[in-house]
Amino acid sequence: MSRFFRAEIVSNLPLNNKNNLLTIKPLEPATEPDPGQFYMVEVSNSKTPLLSRPFSFFRKTPEGIQFLFEIRGKGTLMMKGFKGGEVIHMLGPLGRGYPELEDDKIPMLVAGGIGIASIFPLVQAFGKKACLFYGARDKEGLLMLDELKGLVGELIISTDDGSMGRRGTVIDVFMDFLMQTQAKACDYTIYACGRKQMLEVLSRTALNNGIKGYISTEENMACGIGACLGCAVKVKSKELRAKSRRIKNINSELRTLDYELMYKMVCKDGPVFPLEEIVW
Amino acid sequence: MSRFFRAEIVSNLPLNNKNNLLTIKPLEPATEPDPGQFYMVEVSNSKTPLLSRPFSFFRKTPEGIQFLFEIRGKGTLMMKGFKGGEVIHMLGPLGRGYPELEDDKIPMLVAGGIGIASIFPLVQAFGKKACLFYGARDKEGLLMLDELKGLVGELIISTDDGSMGRRGTVIDVFMDFLMQTQAKACDYTIYACGRKQMLEVLSRTALNNGIKGYISTEENMACGIGACLGCAVKVKSKELRAKSRRIKNINSELRTLDYELMYKMVCKDGPVFPLEEIVW
Amino acid sequence: MNLSVNIGHLKLKNPVITASGTFGYGEEYAEFVDLNKLGAIVVKGISLKPMEGNPSPRICETPCGMLNAIGLQNVGLKDFLKKKLPYLRRFSTPVIVNVLANTIQGYVRLSTALDDSGVDGIELNVSCPNVKKGGISFGTDKKTLAKLVSKVRQSVKGSVLITKLSPNVSNIQEFSKIAEDSGSDALSLINTIPAMAIDIETRKPRLANITGGLSGPAIKPIAIRMVWESYNTVKIPIIGMGGIMNADDVIEFMLAGATAVAVGTANFVNPKATIEIIEGIEQYLRRKGINDVKEIIGKLHAA
Amino acid sequence: MNLSVNIGHLKLKNPVITASGTFGYGEEYAEFVDLNKLGAIVVKGISLKPMEGNPSPRICETPCGMLNAIGLQNVGLKDFLKKKLPYLRRFSTPVIVNVLANTIQGYVRLSTALDDSGVDGIELNVSCPNVKKGGISFGTDKKTLAKLVSKVRQSVKGSVLITKLSPNVSNIQEFSKIAEDSGSDALSLINTIPAMAIDIETRKPRLANITGGLSGPAIKPIAIRMVWESYNTVKIPIIGMGGIMNADDVIEFMLAGATAVAVGTANFVNPKATIEIIEGIEQYLRRKGINDVKEIIGKLHAA
Ligand SMILES: Cc1cc2nc3c(=O)[nH]c(=O)nc-3n(C[C@H](O)[C@H](O)[C@H](O)COP(=O)(O)OP(=O)(O)OC[C@H]3O[C@@H](n4cnc5c(N)ncnc54)[C@H](O)[C@@H]3O)c2cc1C
Ligand SMILES: Cc1cc2nc3c(=O)[nH]c(=O)nc-3n(C[C@H](O)[C@H](O)[C@H](O)COP(=O)(O)OP(=O)(O)OC[C@H]3O[C@@H](n4cnc5c(N)ncnc54)[C@H](O)[C@@H]3O)c2cc1C
Ligand SMILES: Cc1cc2nc3c(=O)[nH]c(=O)nc-3n(C[C@H](O)[C@H](O)[C@H](O)COP(=O)(O)O)c2cc1C
Ligand SMILES: Cc1cc2nc3c(=O)[nH]c(=O)nc-3n(C[C@H](O)[C@H](O)[C@H](O)COP(=O)(O)O)c2cc1C
Ligand code: FES
Ligand code: FES
């Protein structure tokens, strides 16, 4: 059973002109993915683009493994052209997914845009006890709403342009929620995936309010297995982590520490990290 | 009316596992091709392979312009994947085709393998008065036989492995024919297309027997319009041409001639040349 | 919107030039391109005497690129002035002549003659082998390059003098500086990179000449790096080239520091490439709300 | 069929080696590749002290290639010997350690320690900046290279000494000769080529380090040319690399003169690449009726 396997495209459904739902069937025995793990997908067997692209495990169905992808550039544009029956190579599941929820905690899921792909398995796992903040630029960017409604306890939707749900970023909405809520901050555990800026603000907010949690990060990738050292993300050493509760930006300190390995690999140590660990 | 135009793939019919019949419809007003002319075909709009590939005009039908192509490498392999409805760029018709037949002459058409693509329009033009020598490695390589039978006066088929028609190269068969024939050599005009070695032997034979004729040559191409100077073929200067009736290989002489432009471009001055002009 | 840029005292309608050897003598592309729309036309490299060129195969394809060993085939100075230049003169577009020789005197004689003939620019292809120096190229020896450029400089009055540097050096800054200090009005980079390919079935090199020059998208990242390094070293304008296929590539070169660009291999893939690229540049500037293309030259956010 | 080749006194089961920095410390690929099947394993470049590496983005894609500016992140000599080497020792495959430093003494100390530790080979990555020489790389300065290699030579007894030349030179023959004359047992070429890419939307370089090294199929024709030029100059074996994606590419390198080859970027695209390539070489030889892979080394039909 190898994590590098051939897979057949079962279907490649356009959800709108910017997002597709891809379903693939492994042609060899494959490993079961955990929520938050990802796969490297071979975009073209003509090797252009050369490198595979990373995509989060979205859902498992009787038909196969599903991915949600947004058309961003060359590679995803070619993936839009994937047709049923075609065979591609895939590598995965890769990386460390989201940790289990501690009993007495309430899961707060935060998804920005296509970040929902990575959060969705948690929605399935936590079901009604989960509260999902799901934001996007516009309503085009909000995917799988029907499925989500049925699954989560509370679904709070927002769009930057107000075209659906609350107007504003998912963070604004999240903050408002914190204001009103009765529960103590420490009762919550955040699970978040989205663009860098969103994750940064979210992490700072969480730290300031003493909320623990986990975020799924992104970097350009080549190997996906920790070999090329290409997907480095700056993390805090233990001792620094304590401080960071108070310090906004600690890059300055880091630079001065000689020969401390301050980088972890998104593909191997992540993509999911405790939100207090990341250096912004 | 531009020779660089967008064309829609009408159909791409596999004749066997090594050869396809491609039909395209220009989406813009396009120039009419002459027998022996060719087109540069964009193999992939993802620009890998980077360069377009040259293919002879095979036939015009109500559906569009047709090409016969043999799967040889990367590019033609991708062309095998062309699907109806896809749109590609094409450049053509290009180059100088086969000259008109002088009245009182008998056209002898000689096609080796996929060379039939270039010869076919002549078959249509000359019809019954034409005599076609058509050879290939094996019967897999013999294409469009039914159409050909209906058109030409005499169809003499050969395969290297004897799997169809006479055993031997198309040249062997052609020589035998010359032995038996009543007509004077000078009554014939040769029109030939095929691999280099075949064209070389044919040309020598023709020269030795005083038969005039034309051959369609091949070189790797980039621009197709005489700009890159990439598709050079060595030709004889006027004065040398006279001699060459007697001399087998005159490369030696050529090398000594300083600053004489001894190269012509297959894409612009050719692909069709008088057979006595080419230096082997 | 203003697309015009200046190369020395030469004003170009727009930054898009044709790369030497990839646009013939202009006439080959007149059917596809309104030559009046181009920033400038650089013709195939010209030598004093006509040159026969190399045997075939002269070109072959490589991953995202191509090799060529044309062998500098050209009609020679006399025929160029008599048969090719008059045609190009019919257009309002500046004509830049790429010149090559295997002695410094050769370069000087060519440049003098062309300068007298009133061509708008002379581009020195210094990647040619120097017979005096056992065939190592002028462009990879600092002293030789300095001598070559300053000698030519003395004899070139009217035409803009452009030095097309060889990319085959460890330190492009040094050579850029030498070309500038020796009197070049501008730099062109990069030329093709020496390379080679082998047919594993025949065991023969894919080029009759064995080695050839690599061009196309494959070399773009190397070219961008050299333009940027050069831009940080010299004050004279840089004509950037190497793998430009579309307007985005041009913007990339200009952000790296190119004042103008040359389109080469792309012409083979799409004979209308130059025109489509000019349109693409306008669209980019419009989208970004920029009204003068000069504003993006060297405007890389490096920090 | 005999696939074995010799690099100095080191005998490899087959010519397929892993390229430094593209195969981690071996363990990362053990899940996909039977490490015992490889010709040799070259590990990520090791320095005396651990190195943190560069900020992200460290990699980006280019036409038929990729750029990397990892910044030589590595665990350092101590941890390598303690934590990484023991694992690799469990396999029958020779281990070659790629070393980097910014002073000659640094290289010497590293090589001495590794030689004592009994690693099979030491590969000098001379493309690193030389602090003494204002950061210009050891591999582009003839005197420095000669000094570096001969100094290291004196301290390396058991391990095979391989010099990995910088491709960023005008004349690879000269540098190949210097490395040979200074006592290298073999040459590795080519390393990545300095390059750069820019995001035209953000105007930022695609790498935080601005420039990086170009690898992948894009550079193969340049690598083939350098291997061939080098093969015609030196007697010591050459390890060829640069854009090898499949067995055909390996045959091309060997025909050009490589005794062995290293597979780099291909590992990222296909973690089983090395194994599939070894099988592909066997198939080619069988198809051609050749029983010893050594027979094709340098057997280019150039005439
Ligand atoms: C662990 C992980 C999980 C991911 N999961 C998903 C998912 O489930 N659905 C989805 O649509 N996308 C996901 N992404 C992002 C996805 O990998 C990129 O959008 C994709 O690689 C872009 O490829 P491209 O060729 O279309 O774009 P390119 O042409 O390569 O680049 C277009 C833009 O995308 C950016 N980009 C390129 N590669 C990455 C990358 N690896 N991460 C982030 N940005 C990138 C480039 O910087 C550029 O701005 C994930 C990324 C990571 C690292
Ligand atoms: C004027 C002209 C007309 C042609 N007409 C036809 C035609 O009607 N039908 C047809 O099947 N083929 C035709 N060819 C040949 C055809 O162009 C090549 O077979 C094709 O370019 C190979 O592309 P590839 O990518 O599949 O092969 P590559 O991967 O490029 O190479 C595979 C093999 O094909 C050879 N090759 C590559 N390009 C050419 C070329 N331009 N000419 C000859 N050999 C080449 C290579 O040397 C190599 O041996 C013609 C060629 C020319 C010059
Ligand atoms: C077929 C061909 C012929 C060329 N001839 C010349 C030449 O005569 N003089 C010259 O300076 N450069 C010549 N070049 C180099 C180009 O001008 C240009 O510098 C190089 O191709 C890089 O640009 P590109 O990648 O856009 O093609 C030639 C390039 C090609 C592909
Ligand atoms: C991500 C990455 C890291 C590399 N690290 C090193 C290194 O540490 N030392 C070294 O000598 N070469 C290093 N290289 C260069 C490779 O060993 C190889 O020489 C080069 O990539 C060309 O081969 P390729 O095209 O097959 O990748 C690295 C290459 C890549 C892509
Ligand atoms: S992608 Fe290679 S280390 Fe993460
Ligand atoms: S293909 Fe360019 S000149 Fe013939």
Side-chain angles (χ1 to χ4, degrees):
Chain A
M1 194 150 78
S2 168
R3 288 197 295 171
F4 184 64
F5 58 90
R6 285 163 55 259
E8 182 182 329
I9 308 287
V10 177
S11 66
N12 186 19
L13 189 75
L15 302 176
N16 53 46
N17 59 351
K18 293 197 73 287
N19 299 277
N20 274 41
L21 173 63
L22 175 68
T23 308
I24 64 101
K25 191 158 88 315
L27 297 176
E28 307 155 28
T31 319
E32 287 294 315
D34 297 329
Q37 287 192 298
F38 68 99
Y39 291 76
M40 296 295 286
V41 177
E42 178 188 51
V43 175
S44 119
N45 42 34
S46 81
K47 299 277 168 278
T48 29
L50 182 66
L51 301 172
S52 299
R53 302 290 196 255
F55 294 93
S56 302
F57 159 63
F58 167 64
R59 183 169 65 179
K60 199 146 195 299
T61 73
E63 287 70 45
I65 306 172
Q66 294 191 316
F67 301 89
L68 270 186
F69 70 92
E70 177 188 16
I71 288 86
R72 273 203 210 168
K74 300 178 263 33
T76 43
L77 198 62
M78 291 192 80
M79 285 172 62
K80 192 182 163 69
F82 280 172
K83 297 207 176 13
E86 291 176 0
V87 173
I88 58 171
H89 284 90
M90 301 201 36
L91 177 63
L94 301 170
R96 299 224 185 101
Y98 298 97
E100 297 282 314
L101 182 71
E102 291 166 44
D103 301 340
D104 55 15
K105 298 272 187 183
I106 309 161
M108 289 181 109
L109 311 183
V110 185
I114 197 67
I116 193 65
S118 160
I119 294 295
F120 193 86
L122 294 174
V123 173
Q124 290 180 304
F126 300 141
K128 292 300 173 192
K129 81 170 140 169
C131 165
L132 170 61
F133 298 83
Y134 183 17
R137 224 178 277 90
D138 51 31
K139 65 175 197 292
E140 274 270 282
L142 293 168
L143 311 171
M144 298 283 153
L145 288 179
D146 302 345
E147 287 82 344
L148 291 168
K149 289 202 186 80
L151 289 165
V152 288
E154 194 168 359
L155 173 60
I156 302 160
I157 281 179
S158 58
T159 50
D160 303 359
D161 67 355
S163 54
M164 186 184 252
R166 307 254 205 94
R167 168 188 243 96
T169 71
V170 64
I171 304 298
D172 305 334
V173 183
F174 175 74
M175 307 266 267
D176 300 353
F177 179 91
L178 284 184
M179 299 301 154
Q180 312 149 5
T181 179
Q182 283 78 347
K184 285 191 269 56
C186 60
D187 297 341
Y188 294 112
T189 303
I190 291 173
Y191 295 86
C193 183
R195 293 196 169 269
K196 258 205 179 88
Q197 315 87 301
M198 165 197 143
L199 294 177
E200 174 170 2
V201 183
L202 179 67
S203 300
R204 297 195 188 292
T205 320
L207 288 174
N208 296 336
N209 294 273
I211 310 180
K212 286 239 167 55
Y214 307 94
I215 60 177
S216 180
T217 56
E218 280 193 11
E219 285 299 338
N220 290 1
M221 292 184 173
C223 73
I225 58 173
C228 73
L229 305 181
C231 62
V233 58
K234 192 155 251 159
V235 296
K236 302 166 196 167
S237 63
K238 299 252 165 334
E239 56 280 14
L240 277 168
R241 209 174 299 163
K243 284 204 227 154
S244 68
R245 294 266 179 310
R246 277 164 286 101
I247 304 161
K248 286 270 162 298
N249 184 328
I250 60 157
N251 279 328
S252 41
E253 267 104 312
L254 282 178
R255 288 250 123 287
T256 67
L257 299 172
D258 278 336
Y259 305 126
E260 269 240 43
L261 292 184
M262 281 301 144
Y263 287 108
K264 284 192 176 180
M265 294 303 137
V266 169
C267 70
K268 194 162 177 242
D269 310 310
V272 176
F273 292 94
L275 53 75
E276 70 270 23
E277 194 172 343
I278 303 297
V279 176
W280 301 100
Chain B
M1 194 151 76
S2 168
R3 289 196 294 170
F4 184 66
F5 57 91
R6 286 163 55 257
E8 182 181 330
I9 309 288
V10 177
S11 66
N12 185 21
L13 190 75
L15 302 176
N16 53 44
N17 60 351
K18 293 196 71 287
N19 299 278
N20 274 41
L21 173 63
L22 175 68
T23 308
I24 64 101
K25 190 157 92 316
L27 297 176
E28 306 156 28
T31 318
E32 288 293 314
D34 297 329
Q37 286 192 299
F38 69 99
Y39 291 76
M40 297 295 286
V41 177
E42 178 188 51
V43 175
S44 122
N45 42 33
S46 81
K47 300 275 169 282
T48 30
L50 182 66
L51 301 172
S52 298
R53 302 289 196 256
F55 294 92
S56 302
F57 160 63
F58 167 65
R59 183 169 66 180
K60 200 149 193 301
T61 73
E63 286 70 46
I65 305 172
Q66 294 190 315
F67 301 89
L68 271 186
F69 70 92
E70 177 188 17
I71 288 88
R72 272 201 211 169
K74 298 176 262 39
T76 44
L77 197 62
M78 290 192 80
M79 286 173 61
K80 192 182 163 67
F82 280 172
K83 301 212 173 9
E86 291 177 358
V87 172
I88 58 172
H89 284 89
M90 300 198 42
L91 178 63
L94 301 170
R96 298 223 185 100
Y98 298 98
E100 297 282 313
L101 182 71
E102 292 166 42
D103 301 340
D104 56 16
K105 298 273 186 182
I106 309 161
M108 290 181 107
L109 312 182
V110 185
I114 196 69
I116 194 66
S118 159
I119 294 295
F120 193 87
L122 295 174
V123 173
Q124 290 180 304
F126 299 143
K128 292 299 173 194
K129 79 171 146 174
C131 166
L132 170 61
F133 297 83
Y134 182 18
R137 225 178 278 87
D138 50 31
K139 66 178 199 296
E140 273 270 282
L142 293 168
L143 311 170
M144 297 282 153
L145 289 178
D146 302 345
E147 287 82 344
L148 290 168
K149 288 202 186 81
L151 290 165
V152 288
E154 196 168 356
L155 174 61
I156 301 161
I157 282 182
S158 58
T159 50
D160 303 358
D161 67 355
S163 53
M164 185 184 255
R166 307 254 204 95
R167 168 187 243 95
T169 72
V170 64
I171 303 298
D172 305 334
V173 182
F174 175 74
M175 306 268 266
D176 301 354
F177 179 91
L178 282 184
M179 299 303 157
Q180 313 149 4
T181 180
Q182 283 80 345
K184 286 194 266 51
C186 60
D187 297 341
Y188 293 112
T189 302
I190 292 174
Y191 294 87
C193 183
R195 293 196 169 269
K196 255 201 180 97
Q197 314 89 300
M198 165 197 143
L199 293 178
E200 175 171 1
V201 183
L202 179 67
S203 300
R204 298 194 189 293
T205 320
L207 288 174
N208 296 335
N209 294 274
I211 311 180
K212 284 240 169 54
Y214 307 93
I215 60 178
S216 180
T217 57
E218 282 193 9
E219 285 299 338
N220 290 2
M221 292 186 173
C223 72
I225 58 173
C228 73
L229 306 181
C231 62
V233 58
K234 193 155 249 158
V235 296
K236 302 166 197 167
S237 64
K238 298 251 164 341
E239 57 280 15
L240 278 167
R241 210 173 297 166
K243 285 207 225 150
S244 68
R245 295 266 178 310
R246 279 165 284 100
I247 303 162
K248 286 269 163 297
N249 184 329
I250 60 158
N251 278 330
S252 40
E253 268 102 314
L254 280 179
R255 288 251 121 288
T256 66
L257 299 173
D258 278 334
Y259 304 128
E260 271 240 43
L261 290 185
M262 281 302 146
Y263 287 108
K264 284 193 175 179
M265 294 303 136
V266 168
C267 70
K268 193 161 178 246
D269 310 309
V272 176
F273 293 94
L275 51 77
E276 70 270 24
E277 194 172 343
I278 303 297
V279 177
W280 302 101
Chain C
M1 184 181 317
N2 180 8
L3 287 186
S4 73
V5 297
N6 298 314
I7 299 296
H9 61 265
L10 198 60
K11 188 186 173 81
L12 313 186
K13 293 184 206 78
N14 62 64
V16 178
I17 303 177
T18 62
S20 176
T22 67
F23 207 70
Y25 297 105
E27 54 198 21
E28 292 85 348
Y29 281 91
E31 170 189 356
F32 307 101
V33 172
D34 175 352
L35 299 182
N36 283 316
K37 286 220 168 82
L38 297 172
I41 296 171
V42 181
V43 298
K44 174 72 183 164
I46 298 293
S47 50
L48 281 167
K49 290 264 169 48
M51 286 176 71
E52 188 189 25
N54 290 329
S56 281
R58 290 177 169 191
I59 55 175
C60 76
E61 201 175 50
T62 63
C64 293
M66 66 176 280
L67 300 184
N68 87 83
I70 305 304
L72 306 169
Q73 173 177 344
N74 76 91
V75 298
L77 178 64
K78 197 157 117 294
D79 276 17
F80 172 74
L81 295 176
K82 200 157 92 259
K83 299 183 185 152
K84 303 298 183 181
L85 188 56
Y87 173 81
L88 289 169
R89 279 274 159 256
R90 292 202 242 130
F91 303 90
S92 63
T93 303
V95 175
I96 298 171
V97 182
N98 180 273
V99 299
L100 51 103
N102 43 31
T103 64
I104 290 184
Q105 301 86 311
Y107 279 102
V108 172
R109 285 175 54 201
L110 268 165
S111 308
T112 316
L114 287 163
D115 188 50
D116 297 344
S117 80
V119 300
D120 305 281
I122 295 171
E123 182 181 61
L124 302 175
N125 175 2
V126 299
S127 301
C128 312
N130 176 355
V131 286
K132 286 246 172 53
K133 283 273 172 80
I136 64 151
S137 109
F138 293 91
T140 60
D141 181 82
K142 293 171 197 166
K143 285 196 190 53
T144 319
L145 181 65
K147 185 144 173 261
L148 167 59
V149 176
S150 23
K151 278 255 181 304
V152 171
R153 172 75 281 175
Q154 293 161 22
S155 52
V156 172
K157 309 270 171 294
S159 315
V160 164
L161 179 59
I162 303 162
T163 304
K164 185 168 185 175
L165 295 173
S166 164
N168 201 26
V169 298
S170 306
N171 188 326
I172 197 72
Q173 295 99 311
E174 288 178 359
F175 288 85
S176 302
K177 200 84 187 61
I178 289 171
E180 178 179 43
D181 297 343
S182 311
S184 306
D185 299 315
L187 301 177
S188 280
L189 41 104
I190 64 176
N191 209 321
T192 55
I193 301 175
M196 172 175 172
I198 300 169
D199 182 329
I200 66 167
E201 296 306 324
T202 62
R203 291 192 179 188
K204 288 215 199 92
R206 287 199 178 272
L207 299 179
N209 188 57
I210 303 179
T211 62
L214 178 62
S215 65
I219 67 171
K220 192 184 75 174
I222 301 173
I224 295 283
R225 189 256 309 171
M226 289 191 168
V227 166
W228 183 75
E229 288 178 341
S230 191
Y231 176 75
N232 291 320
T233 321
V234 300
K235 280 167 212 57
I236 52 177
I238 296 166
I239 302 170
M241 68 196 81
I244 292 175
M245 300 299 286
N246 52 47
D248 289 0
D249 296 332
V250 171
I251 305 301
E252 196 176 355
F253 269 94
M254 294 189 76
L255 288 170
T259 295
V261 298
V263 177
T265 301
N267 294 304
F268 307 153
V269 180
N270 172 0
K272 290 189 160 72
T274 45
I275 297 303
E276 291 176 10
I277 285 171
I278 294 166
E279 290 161 1
I281 296 172
E282 281 181 310
Q283 283 159 23
Y284 174 88
L285 295 177
R286 206 172 294 113
R287 183 157 60 80
K288 296 287 185 180
I290 301 168
N291 27 31
D292 188 338
V293 71
K294 293 188 222 45
E295 285 175 23
I296 68 169
I297 298 169
K299 288 297 165 24
L300 172 72
H301 294 333
Chain D
M1 181 181 320
N2 180 7
L3 287 186
S4 73
V5 297
N6 298 314
I7 299 296
H9 61 265
L10 198 59
K11 187 185 174 84
L12 313 186
K13 293 184 206 78
N14 61 65
V16 178
I17 302 177
T18 62
S20 177
T22 67
F23 207 70
Y25 298 106
E27 54 197 22
E28 292 85 347
Y29 280 91
E31 169 189 357
F32 307 101
V33 172
D34 176 354
L35 299 183
N36 283 315
K37 288 221 168 81
L38 297 172
I41 295 171
V42 180
V43 298
K44 173 71 181 165
I46 298 294
S47 50
L48 281 168
K49 289 265 168 43
M51 286 176 71
E52 187 188 24
N54 289 329
S56 281
R58 290 178 168 189
I59 56 175
C60 76
E61 202 176 50
T62 63
C64 293
M66 66 177 280
L67 301 183
N68 87 83
I70 305 304
L72 306 169
Q73 172 177 343
N74 76 91
V75 298
L77 178 63
K78 199 158 118 291
D79 276 16
F80 172 74
L81 294 175
K82 200 158 91 261
K83 300 185 185 146
K84 303 298 182 180
L85 188 55
Y87 173 82
L88 289 170
R89 279 273 159 257
R90 293 203 238 129
F91 304 89
S92 64
T93 302
V95 176
I96 299 171
V97 182
N98 180 272
V99 299
L100 53 102
N102 43 30
T103 64
I104 291 184
Q105 302 87 310
Y107 279 102
V108 173
R109 285 176 53 199
L110 268 166
S111 309
T112 316
L114 287 163
D115 188 50
D116 298 344
S117 80
V119 300
D120 305 280
I122 294 170
E123 182 180 62
L124 302 175
N125 175 3
V126 299
S127 301
C128 313
N130 177 354
V131 286
K132 286 247 172 53
K133 284 273 173 79
I136 63 152
S137 109
F138 293 90
T140 59
D141 181 79
K142 293 170 196 165
K143 286 199 190 54
T144 319
L145 181 64
K147 185 145 173 259
L148 168 59
V149 176
S150 22
K151 277 256 181 303
V152 171
R153 173 74 281 178
Q154 293 160 23
S155 51
V156 173
K157 310 269 172 294
S159 315
V160 163
L161 179 59
I162 304 161
T163 304
K164 184 168 185 175
L165 295 172
S166 165
N168 201 26
V169 299
S170 306
N171 187 325
I172 198 71
Q173 294 100 311
E174 289 179 357
F175 288 85
S176 302
K177 199 86 188 64
I178 289 170
E180 178 178 44
D181 297 343
S182 311
S184 305
D185 299 314
L187 300 176
S188 280
L189 42 103
I190 64 177
N191 210 321
T192 55
I193 301 175
M196 175 173 169
I198 299 169
D199 181 330
I200 66 167
E201 295 307 322
T202 63
R203 292 192 179 189
K204 288 214 198 92
R206 288 200 178 272
L207 299 178
N209 188 56
I210 302 181
T211 62
L214 179 61
S215 65
I219 67 171
K220 192 184 72 172
I222 301 173
I224 294 284
R225 188 258 306 172
M226 289 191 169
V227 166
W228 184 75
E229 288 178 340
S230 190
Y231 176 76
N232 291 318
T233 321
V234 298
K235 280 166 211 58
I236 52 177
I238 296 165
I239 302 169
M241 68 197 82
I244 292 175
M245 299 300 285
N246 53 45
D248 289 0
D249 296 332
V250 171
I251 305 300
E252 196 177 353
F253 269 95
M254 294 188 77
L255 287 170
T259 295
V261 298
V263 176
T265 301
N267 294 303
F268 307 151
V269 180
N270 171 1
K272 291 189 160 71
T274 45
I275 297 303
E276 292 175 10
I277 285 172
I278 293 166
E279 291 160 1
I281 297 172
E282 283 183 306
Q283 284 159 22
Y284 174 88
L285 296 176
R286 206 171 292 116
R287 183 157 62 79
K288 296 287 186 180
I290 302 169
N291 344 344
D292 188 338
V293 71
K294 294 188 220 46
E295 285 175 23
I296 68 171
I297 297 169
K299 290 296 167 19
L300 172 72
H301 295 333

